[in-house]
Amino acid sequence: MTLPADPPPSPDVPDAPTAPPAAPPKRPKRTLKRLATRMLIYLAIGYAGWCATLYFFQDTMLFPGVGLPVGMKASTLSPAIEELRRPIPGGDGAEAAAWFVPAPGASADHPAPLVVYCHGNYETLDNQGWMIDLFRGLGCSVLLPEYRGYGRAGGKPSQAGIREDTLGFLHDVKARPEVDPSRVFYYGRSLGGGVAADLASVERPNAVVIESSFTSVATMAWKYFAPPLLAKNPYRTDRVLPALGIPVLLFHGSRDDTIPVAHARRMHAMTPGSELCEYDCGHDDPPSVSFAQDHRAKLEAFLKRAGVLR
């Protein structure tokens, strides 16, 4: 049996070129959009959480003086100081507190002008001796309301609550024979500037003095990247002052890092006839302290022009 012959060898053929490796598939645009959407959602959730935190903790930020200890008795600081008390409506027995200090020589025959002084957010009545001396030196009686929850006052602070307490004390004091109710002005420092303006919005005085204060708490919310509508206690001084139609004096430090002087400049620009005095100082060394003599002279001259002092 004959086997078939093997086929003749084929001529050498060069190897076929090797194909380059396949490129990885491009990421679909749909996936990139999905990642971007996811990042936006995370950012929105984070921002909402930040705003919620600010909303629920804003009272602590605005009123950090709640719970500050009470110092010595008012009578120990000065025998002229009279401590006032009023029940807080619905406060379960809690009382509002204030000090009244008559001007030297004030009487029914010689009634004195009255200043309502509203202090800063980390102060109490015990810290106001220097301001009491300033006002009494000008011949004014002094009403110093305490903020709810501060020092001697019960309750919880709020714009409406502080206004209610201060109005009650103001009406009581204006009825005293040694007080001239036709010559009343409000003076507020820092947070107290907002308190004084808020008070003026419901009971107009002869004049308002604002030291180292803000245009509004609502506006300052942007400093914390939060919308103004979240402010529970907005203190819209920028809306009150222009509408009062009374003399307004603004004191502010040009180096104030807590409440920049731009706030005072804006209030001055929007309030017709207002006066602005800037000093080379900051927030914790305000004009009334760092430039006490010049501050007093300007305050006295202003009060005479406003008819408060004679």
Side-chain angles (χ1 to χ4, degrees), residues 73-85 97-102 125 132 136 142-145 152 169 172-173 176 178-179:
K73 291 183 178 180
S75 58
T76 305
L77 291 173
S78 170
I81 296 175
E82 178 183 348
E83 188 166 328
L84 309 178
R85 293 279 182 176
W99 282 357
F100 173 69
V101 194
L125 298 181
I132 293 174
R136 295 186 79 222
V142 191
L143 172 63
L144 300 102
R152 296 163 173 80
F169 287 122
D172 291 344
V173 168
R176 294 182 176 229
E178 70 271 29
V179 171

Side-chain angles (χ1 to χ4, degrees), residues 124-201:
T124 63
L125 298 181
D126 301 81
N127 310 124
Q128 310 311 318
W130 54 289
M131 294 303 290
I132 293 174
D133 292 341
L134 167 65
F135 295 130
R136 295 186 79 222
L138 293 173
C140 299
S141 295
V142 191
L143 172 63
L144 300 102
E146 189 57 286
Y147 305 151
R148 292 187 183 187
Y150 279 60
R152 296 163 173 80
K156 184 178 179 181
S158 69
Q159 180 173 345
I162 293 171
R163 183 198 314 127
E164 180 181 33
D165 297 341
T166 305
L167 277 173
F169 287 122
L170 177 58
H171 293 161
D172 291 344
V173 168
K174 285 171 71 173
R176 294 182 176 229
E178 70 271 29
V179 171
D180 185 348
S182 68
R183 294 186 291 155
V184 177
F185 75 101
Y186 305 156
Y187 191 119
R189 193 186 94 77
S190 192
L191 171 65
V195 175
D198 184 58
L199 182 64
S201 70

Side-chain angles (χ1 to χ4, degrees), residues 26-107:
K26 292 184 179 180
R27 186 182 297 273
K29 290 184 178 181
R30 189 176 303 171
T31 302
L32 293 176
K33 289 182 179 179
R34 191 178 298 120
L35 285 175
T37 302
R38 189 174 299 170
M39 288 298 299
L40 289 175
I41 292 173
Y42 290 157
L43 287 173
I45 292 173
Y47 182 67
W50 170 248
C51 289
T53 300
L54 289 177
Y55 180 81
F56 289 109
F57 286 93
Q58 64 180 281
D59 287 349
T60 302
M61 298 168 66
L62 186 61
F63 303 111
V66 170
L68 284 175
V70 174
M72 60 186 70
K73 291 183 178 180
S75 58
T76 305
L77 291 173
S78 170
I81 296 175
E82 178 183 348
E83 188 166 328
L84 309 178
R85 293 279 182 176
R86 289 179 60 86
I88 295 176
D92 296 326
E95 291 184 317
W99 282 357
F100 173 69
V101 194
S107 66

